[in-house]
Amino acid sequence: MGAGPGAVAHRDDGGRAGGDPVDRRVRAAMAGMTLAEKIGQMFVLQVNGDTATTTNQTDVAANQALYGSDVRNGAELLAKFHPGGIIYFTQTNNLNNPQQVALLSNGLQRAALADDGVPVQISTDQEGGVVTRIPPPSAISPGNMAIGATFDRGLSYSTAASTGRQLRAMGINMDHAPVVDVNTNPRNTADGTRAFSDRSEVVSAFGAAAVLGYQENGVAATAKHFPGLGSSEANPDTGIAVVNETREEILRTDIPPFRAAIAAGVKSIMPTAVIVPALDPTRTPAILSKPIITGLLRDTLRYDGVIVTDALRADALKDIPQDQVILGAIRAGNDELLLPTDPPAAIATVTGAVRDGTISRHRIDESVYRILRLKAELGLFDHPFTTSQAVDSRVGTAADQQTMATAAQRSMTLLKNQAGVLPLPANSGRHVLVTGWGFNGVPSLADKLSAKGLVATPMWTGSPDPQTIAQVVAAAGASDVTVVLTNNAWGDVTQQNLVNALLATGKPVVTVAVGGPYDIAYFPSAPTYLAAYGYRDVSLAAIADTLVGAEPTGRLPVTIRTPDGGTVLFPFGSGMGYHSQG
């Protein structure tokens, strides 16, 4: 496992001292590897296709465009470039249904073992909530902030354990989760509901519990995004993100969750391309910064697990030549290089740097040792494959669906019920207009309310123009009550305009935030406000249950302030039930 404060001793060649069985297994594997195979281990790449030997023309063309005309599928990618990891995405046609995912995983493992005898690390970003990758009928977590709102870190463990069991049954052995950023900036576009809380001690406890949940069920966890994205506003994937906290603030607020994850034995940590002047005055993105990766994470925090970069094709790095990004990431201290812009060129860059002495073979061996150690600790050398029976027995079970449903229901946070509109009486035939944000969420919630004996009509608006708002206001006038969904309306004035226009009708309006809970600061006169933290089906079901009478027991895991940040509107821990007024 990733070493905590009592880090084990290592030999000069990067191997672990003492000759334990894992060490012997890793060293034996490394002894038979070529330089090309070792360098390949440091790359985590995507591949298009629903099988390892796909002949689907669209997928083949996409693979050839990325890797060359002789790479049509995953098996050929592994044979040519020997990547140590493959990451699954929906858009690359990897994640259609659980049985298909398992067959793809097995095919990739067979190809990897036939190539260099080293099993492949297969990962995805299954955080739950807004970042959900695995397909139905998997049981899906409502997401970190929803779990934080339960104030029960046991649910952080159980939801992660459920996710871990399902992933491993599909042949996925690493999850790029949990996010352990502390969401101190309400306008954070990178984290929001992906974070557990805006309090370091809460994130530390819930993050460590999630690490144990994943890893005790056969999946390596990844604590991200080092050294912390919670105070930034931009997302490095789509722009330049800067953390302007002092070093003292960072060490007090952002670093403790990573310390807690390390103490829990987290097997990987993901740094991101955030600029942190207090930690590196050169303003080098953290992902490429030796003071941050080696100085802080390796030397100060004494972390000896795998460090996997965030996507190297991120917009935050686009103005830096790729060869500088690749070599900078290795020099900084990263082990795995995730999603470079041009993988063949990136691999050639590393190969050339080793051959001309710019990067030592010893430096490559250090990373390869950690990567193979992780694979050995996950049991991949002995048990790389999954089975159809494992998928049937472990994916989307009734027990796991109930675990996720419980977490979602216990997250529901009622902040205002001044008009006493809630709960709506079930089986009353009352006419309910369901509107606002959520192309799928609005009709889905309407269906769920109709199933409870209400007459619910969906009117999706997205980010509405004035004509759309006028149509919704007219429909609201003909309804008994309107339920309006918002998602990060703090950044979308058209959503604010919709809510304010509905409030001006004088008809009963229930505002439900399906993103972060901060929207209430932008329409403070709303008399009825439910924070739901998510728009996946598991959260929509909990919203419907709560609207018709299930007791809301969630509490705010963050503080809600006025838009200028000057006044607290709802303090941390706020939440009320139907039978309480505070």
Side-chain angles (χ1 to χ4, degrees):
M1 66 174 56
V8 295
H10 286 76
R11 293 190 286 257
D12 290 340
D13 61 5
R16 182 182 288 182
D20 63 277
V22 168
D23 174 75
R24 288 195 297 271
R25 188 68 169 271
V26 170
R27 292 182 61 77
M30 290 179 66
M33 296 174 72
T34 65
L35 176 61
E37 290 166 347
K38 288 180 177 179
I39 290 172
Q41 284 295 312
M42 296 179 68
F43 284 85
V44 180
L45 306 177
Q46 71 180 55
V47 66
N48 295 270
D50 59 354
T51 71
T53 54
T54 185
T55 57
N56 176 281
Q57 290 186 352
T58 301
D59 293 326
V60 167
N63 289 325
Q64 290 175 325
L66 195 54
Y67 299 114
S69 60
D70 56 344
V71 175
R72 295 168 295 178
N73 52 47
E76 292 177 354
L77 172 64
L78 287 158
K80 182 175 182 180
F81 292 113
H82 328 290
I86 299 291
I87 182 168
Y88 288 169
F89 294 104
T90 304
Q91 63 266 30
T92 49
N93 196 26
N94 302 144
L95 298 167
N96 300 320
N97 64 75
Q99 290 289 357
Q100 169 268 318
V101 177
L103 287 171
L104 172 61
S105 300
N106 283 346
L108 292 173
Q109 292 294 3
R110 279 193 296 272
L113 295 174
D115 175 44
D116 58 15
V118 177
V120 66
Q121 170 190 301
I122 299 175
S123 61
T124 196
D125 299 286
Q126 184 58 30
E127 300 171 13
V130 65
V131 180
T132 289
R133 304 278 193 247
I134 58 175
S138 307
I140 304 300
S141 165
N144 283 358
M145 192 170 285
I147 294 166
T150 71
F151 279 65
D152 182 355
R153 64 180 177 183
L155 282 173
S156 185
Y157 175 89
S158 60
T159 53
S162 168
T163 299
R165 278 192 298 274
Q166 295 178 92
L167 290 175
R168 190 64 190 253
M170 288 182 270
I172 299 169
N173 47 59
M174 175 180 280
D175 192 3
H176 293 311
V179 171
V180 294
D181 298 332
V182 182
N183 198 67
T184 52
N185 182 359
R187 300 181 67 87
N188 187 329
T189 58
D191 287 326
T193 57
R194 299 169 68 196
F196 287 108
S197 174
D198 63 3
R199 295 201 173 188
S200 186
E201 63 273 19
V202 175
V203 177
S204 296
F206 280 64
V211 167
L212 293 175
Y214 291 122
Q215 294 189 173
E216 290 179 2
N217 287 278
V219 170
T222 307
K224 61 186 187 183
H225 307 84
F226 192 82
L229 265 178
S231 67
S232 67
E233 193 156 320
N235 186 334
D237 287 342
T238 55
I240 304 298
V242 181
V243 166
N244 288 313
E245 295 175 308
T246 66
R247 184 180 182 90
E248 180 185 19
E249 288 170 335
I250 292 165
L251 293 176
R252 182 175 66 245
T253 302
D254 300 301
I255 298 303
F258 290 98
R259 287 188 185 274
I262 292 169
V266 72
K267 292 189 182 296
S268 65
I269 289 178
M270 177 180 285
T272 194
V274 65
I275 293 170
V276 193
L279 299 181
D280 188 341
T282 69
R283 298 180 69 87
T284 300
I287 204 169
L288 308 179
S289 170
K290 189 168 185 177
I292 293 175
I293 305 303
T294 295
L296 179 55
L297 184 51
R298 289 282 190 223
D299 296 342
T300 301
L301 301 184
R302 300 189 68 187
Y303 180 64
D304 189 45
V306 169
I307 300 178
V308 51
T309 70
D310 208 340
L312 294 177
R313 64 188 185 194
D315 277 1
L317 302 174
K318 67 180 180 180
D319 293 332
I320 305 173
Q322 181 183 249
D323 60 339
Q324 294 181 29
V325 169
I326 296 300
L327 298 182
I330 295 173
R331 290 190 184 110
N334 295 281
D335 299 306
E336 293 186 337
L337 309 177
L338 175 69
L339 298 174
T341 304
D342 182 344
I347 292 169
T349 293
V350 180
T351 303
V354 174
R355 286 183 173 152
D356 69 18
T358 303
I359 291 178
S360 70
R361 290 175 181 259
H362 171 69
R363 172 66 190 86
I364 300 298
D365 282 349
E366 284 181 328
S367 287
V368 174
Y369 184 92
R370 292 189 186 99
I371 294 163
L372 297 193
R373 183 179 69 196
L374 181 152
K375 293 178 179 182
E377 289 173 345
L378 289 174
L380 297 182
F381 282 95
D382 295 315
H383 303 288
F385 302 110
T386 186
T387 65
S388 176
Q389 292 84 355
V391 174
D392 286 340
S393 62
R394 297 179 201 160
V395 176
T397 66
D400 285 335
Q401 299 286 8
Q402 185 58 56
T403 294
M404 303 309 193
T406 297
Q409 184 58 58
R410 289 180 56 191
S411 76
M412 294 294 114
T413 305
L414 185 63
L415 292 179
K416 297 179 75 175
N417 194 25
Q418 291 173 353
V421 172
L422 296 180
L424 304 174
N427 301 310
S428 63
R430 292 183 70 184
H431 288 260
V432 180
L433 175 67
V434 181
T435 189
W437 186 92
F439 182 77
N440 296 313
V442 165
S444 178
L445 181 60
D447 287 346
K448 294 179 191 316
L449 291 175
S450 293
K452 296 180 182 299
L454 302 171
V455 180
T457 302
M459 281 189 73
W460 168 75
T461 67
S463 298
D465 58 24
Q467 181 180 359
T468 302
I469 291 175
Q471 292 170 345
V472 172
V473 165
S479 302
D480 296 315
V481 63
T482 295
V483 176
V484 56
L485 307 186
T486 68
N487 183 12
N488 297 345
W490 51 262
D492 185 352
V493 70
T494 67
Q495 290 189 58
Q496 299 172 32
N497 291 341
L498 172 65
V499 174
N500 286 320
L502 288 169
L503 294 175
T505 66
K507 299 278 286 189
V509 176
V510 178
T511 306
V512 181
V514 295
Y518 307 104
D519 292 356
I520 187 64
Y522 295 81
F523 25 80
S525 64
T528 311
Y529 188 79
L530 180 70
Y533 312 100
Y535 52 81
R536 299 295 179 187
D537 198 65
V538 68
S539 294
L540 294 172
I543 292 168
D545 287 343
T546 302
L547 293 180
V548 298
E551 187 71 8
T553 59
R555 291 181 286 149
L556 277 182
V558 297
T559 299
I560 299 178
R561 294 179 171 83
T562 50
D564 64 5
T567 303
V568 172
L569 295 175
F570 296 92
F572 175 92
S574 294
M576 57 188 292
Y578 287 138
H579 307 293
S580 65
Q581 296 298 319

